[in-house]
Amino acid sequence: MFLGIDTSCYTTSIAVVNEQEELILEKRQLLNVSEGSKGLPQSEALFHHLKRLPDLLDEAGQSFCYSRIKAVCSSTVPRPDKASYMPVFVVSERFGKTISLLFKIPYFTVSHQENHLRSGLWSANLRKKCFLAIHLSGGTTELLKVYWDGGRFSIKVLGGTLDINAGQFIDRVGVKLGLPFPAGPYLEDMAKYGQELLHIPSWVKDYTVSFSGPETAAIRYINQNKKPHDIARSVENTVAKTIEKLLRKAIKDENINEVLLVGGVIANNYVREKLKSRLEHQAVGGRLYFATPQHSGDNAIGNALIARDRYLNQHHT
């Protein structure tokens, strides 16, 4: 069996898979965010991870014997970039390395983004070696061209956000509407009762998007006492329109039809269905692969699978 560990900004996660890529165990726990807050300082999030990760590992150990783990993999940075760093990932890195030393098993490190991509490939059952990907969350909004050789990713960033991320746009408007943070699931529930699409601009230039203007427009509607359900649905619609424009250009320019969509924002059913209906139209020719809603948000499944991939590749060699 193979262990994955991930400590993102708001979720402590572990997962175990076997050699056949079957999910044996998964545990994750959201960090507590005070009502009305727009997030957690890194120091506070790191402290919560330090408290929670041992408990999750202990709970997992009641279901299987750790001596059966053949390799462990941790997220250590947000993205596979030399300048990418976030203190919260120190927790998953240190715990992963400690487990490796204690049990004398191989230890692998990857980025949080690669974790999402591998989990998405598994969840969506995508087996292509070259594909486009969209990573949409509170911390990332990036369009990627990805090569996967069955063990490692080679990622080229084609574009992304100029300012705030798609998840931040949703969270900031959601908190302003009085919803808990992170606001995504609550805003989606509210949007189900929306009846009117308000005009919130969608800003895209080449491979660059912006959500600060849409945020300003949405908050203006809140201050004008527009119906919260309509504002919520309009926010969803703007996210879908923005990503549609980005992907239309990428599918055409790169001549790649397969698109993997991962990240917490992709759990939103309205966004998923809107993109599917627009981009899988025969005039566009896209083939969209979504991580399932329960596997779109932060988890450690991808890391467990990467531990499996690399261990088996090394063992075979």
Side-chain angles (χ1 to χ4, degrees):
M1 295 193 292
F2 306 91
L3 174 66
I5 305 174
D6 184 82
T7 51
S8 65
C9 287
Y10 302 108
T11 310
T12 312
S13 309
I14 64 169
V16 176
V17 301
N18 65 15
E19 189 173 332
Q20 290 72 41
E21 299 191 33
E22 296 169 331
L23 182 61
I24 303 301
L25 175 146
E26 188 211 358
K27 291 185 178 292
R28 56 180 123 165
Q29 194 170 42
L30 278 172
L31 305 186
N32 294 327
V33 179
S34 302
E35 185 176 345
S37 173
K38 294 181 181 179
L40 285 173
Q42 283 285 299
S43 58
E44 189 175 343
L46 188 149
F47 174 72
H48 286 307
H49 284 312
L50 284 171
K51 290 178 64 178
R52 295 183 180 202
L53 187 52
D55 292 338
L56 291 187
L57 291 167
D58 181 43
E59 289 176 25
Q62 297 172 25
S63 303
F64 67 91
C65 181
Y66 271 100
S67 63
R68 297 180 63 192
I69 298 294
K70 295 299 183 184
V72 58
C73 178
S74 300
S75 301
T76 58
V77 291
R79 292 179 299 281
D81 184 296
K82 290 182 180 179
S84 183
Y85 171 73
M86 200 170 279
V88 285
F89 292 110
V90 171
V91 180
S92 57
E93 180 186 18
R94 294 290 91 189
F95 273 83
K97 191 166 187 176
T98 300
I99 291 170
S100 166
L101 292 170
L102 285 173
F103 292 98
K104 295 181 171 59
I105 57 176
Y107 174 52
F108 305 106
T109 63
V110 294
S111 68
H112 179 69
Q113 185 172 79
E114 290 166 294
N115 172 40
H116 266 297
L117 290 172
R118 185 63 180 94
S119 175
L121 288 173
W122 170 82
S123 174
N125 196 30
L126 176 58
R127 296 294 175 179
K128 288 284 185 178
K129 288 189 176 181
C130 179
F131 55 92
L132 297 172
I134 280 279
H135 182 188
L136 293 181
S137 66
T140 305
T141 297
E142 283 189 338
L143 170 65
L144 313 169
K145 183 177 181 180
V146 184
Y147 294 91
W148 182 56
D149 66 5
R152 295 180 183 274
F153 290 102
S154 177
I155 300 172
K156 178 182 179 182
V157 179
L158 298 179
T161 182
L162 186 66
D163 36 58
I164 64 173
N165 294 300
Q168 287 177 295
F169 169 44
I170 290 170
D171 287 333
R172 291 181 181 187
V173 176
V175 169
K176 193 74 175 177
L177 286 168
L179 301 174
F181 182 97
Y186 304 99
L187 185 131
E188 183 175 7
D189 286 341
M190 177 181 281
K192 292 175 183 176
Y193 303 98
Q195 296 180 331
E196 179 186 359
L197 279 180
L198 305 171
H199 176 66
I200 297 179
S202 171
W203 193 94
V204 180
K205 184 176 181 181
D206 294 326
Y207 285 138
T208 303
V209 302
S210 170
F211 286 108
S212 61
E215 178 196 2
T216 300
I219 291 176
R220 186 183 304 119
Y221 284 129
I222 295 173
N223 294 334
Q224 293 172 356
N225 295 317
K226 296 290 185 180
K227 294 179 181 178
H229 305 303
D230 293 338
I231 296 171
R233 176 45 55 89
S234 303
V235 165
E236 289 181 328
N237 191 62
T238 296
V239 171
K241 283 194 303 181
T242 301
I243 302 310
E244 178 196 342
K245 292 175 183 177
L246 202 60
L247 286 177
R248 274 180 179 267
K249 177 175 172 57
I251 291 169
K252 181 180 179 182
D253 290 354
E254 298 295 330
N255 196 28
I256 299 174
N257 294 334
E258 290 75 18
V259 183
L260 177 67
L261 298 97
V262 299
V265 174
I266 294 302
N268 184 292
N269 281 302
Y270 178 88
V271 172
R272 293 162 76 97
E273 292 304 316
K274 191 83 170 179
L275 290 174
K276 197 172 180 66
S277 67
R278 300 286 292 176
L279 294 172
E280 290 193 340
H281 190 280
Q282 62 181 3
V284 181
R287 291 196 288 273
L288 273 54
Y289 295 82
F290 295 93
T292 58
Q294 64 267 35
H295 298 129
S296 295
D298 291 345
N299 62 75
I301 299 171
N303 283 346
L305 290 164
I306 290 171
R308 170 218 173 258
D309 298 340
R310 295 190 182 177
Y311 175 86
L312 293 179
N313 285 345
Q314 284 187 2
H315 186 69
H316 178 71
T317 303

